[in-house]
Amino acid sequence: MNDQTPVADAPLFNPFSPEFLQNPYPSFQLLRENQPLMKTPLGFWVASRYADVQMILKDKRFGKGFEERMKLRNGDDVFDNPVYANMRTWMLVQDPPDHTRLRGLVAKAFTARRIEGLRPQIQQLVDELLDRVEGRNSMDFIQEFAYPLPLNVICDMLGIPAAERGRFEFGSKISGRLLDPTPVSDDELTQIREGFSGQAEYFRDLFARRRAEPRDDLTTVLVQAEEAGDRLSEAELVGNVILLFGAGHETTVNLLGNGLFALLQNPDEYAKLRANPDLVPGAIEEMLRFDSSVQMTGRTAMVDIDINGITIPKGEHVINLLGAANRDDAAFDDAESFRVDRKDVRPMSFGGGIHFCLGAQLARVEADIAFRSLLARLPDMRLEAPDTAEWRPTFTLRGLTSLPIAWG
Ligand code: HEM
């Protein structure tokens, strides 16, 4: 720590507090205004302004430094635990050159053209989910729509047959805790370990089937890369498919849920969107901005780095508050208000730099089809409990436990 290091005296960033998890935005505002780049008593730094977050994510002097950080946090034997051993292989936590190699293998399946080509399949899934509630006048939007849609889309991409998807439905969703800045308890770790080992067992069997009989799916692409030799190890194959599977649905469910919640809480905005569905793509960017399903991503300073006169020493970790950057008045006019016709919204929700979300286009296409179809088929949706919202007790992945809506 150096002399000019600002350390928080009041806990403006307290991811242990239930109130903060329910609504972090008042704290975010205080952070941006008073201590936009500060070192917390928890030992890491927190960046909350849009310009700083954007700079840190793009600056190559910042990396993930995952292995060193995990050892510091959890001890030298941290990777004896299968959960962290699995996580260590994820492209999400790697630095170049391994990150470049892993991302390159998967990126081919995520080109804008391939994702656009999935539209008919995604439309069919959306239609089926809405058919199921036809004749009713209410549903839990999370359980009956927002969760099954992205889950089935990523299963389609990976080539997981429909009959084998039951085992993945309504998982404990606890693995997201691995991304939080607060320590994961032994009990949580055990649950995550059981979840991962079940998935690993399933995927190893799927890999064997694709080796024997290749198909036109992402699993086959990855299995073939592994077979080609030194490009992808078996452990990396298993780990990155688990990453893709989780990232493919645990985040998009919350774009749909948080987005619909914001829309229905703002009836005038909802009316504008209903009157003009061409606003949907911009409204989705606004939903991402207003209440992002991913609230933070961390980086480690690989050398001493000076930002606005403050030195972040080599090896120290910075938490970049995407959700706070998204509400920065310096980047967005009247940032605390939700406006579906806001122009040129560039939310930080998908991150930036070399780790920019690989699935961003997929999430946007899913949300585009979902909201257009919801507006067409259930135009008079309303919140069943407008004043109560129960948020999941995780910080990094922000989403509602349920969202009861009614219509008709
Ligand atoms: C609304 C939905 C989504 C949001 C808000 C989101 C957000 C993010 C963010 C912030 C990152 C960067 C993390 C970092 O900087 O370290 C990221 C990375 C990633 N996302 Fe997403 N994501 C979403 C949907 C998806 C989907 C649908 C997929 C895949 C099917 C996906 C796959 C990935 C992968 C593989 C990475 C790691 C990329 C890398 O490290 O190079 N995401 N996502």
Side-chain angles (χ1 to χ4, degrees), residues 57 64 90-94 99 103 106 110 150 154 157 218 240 243-256 288 292-294 296-299 322 348-352 354-360 362-364 366:
L57 294 184
K64 291 279 179 170
W90 297 359
M91 74 177 87
L92 179 68
V93 305
Q94 301 272 341
H99 171 262
R103 185 165 169 127
V106 183
F110 284 86
I154 193 68
M157 285 185 82
L218 183 51
N240 281 283
L243 167 69
L244 280 170
F245 179 71
H249 70 286
E250 293 289 359
T251 48
T252 309
V253 51
N254 298 327
L255 160 58
L256 300 173
L288 284 160
S292 178
S293 44
V294 178
M296 61 145 267
T297 178
R299 291 293 184 276
L322 307 174
M348 287 303 308
S349 313
F350 291 122
I354 61 169
H355 292 277
F356 181 82
C357 177
L358 194 63
L362 177 61
R364 287 179 168 126
E366 288 182 40

Side-chain angles (χ1 to χ4, degrees), residues 43-55:
F44 48 73
W45 295 72
V46 166
S48 50
R49 284 190 183 159
Y50 189 94
D52 292 342
V53 168
Q54 188 177 45
M55 176 257 149

Side-chain angles (χ1 to χ4, degrees), residues 390-405:
E390 199 188 310
W391 297 89
R392 284 166 53 185
T394 49
F395 173 64
T396 303
L397 300 187
R398 177 168 167 81
L400 293 158
T401 50
S402 68
L403 181 56
I405 59 164

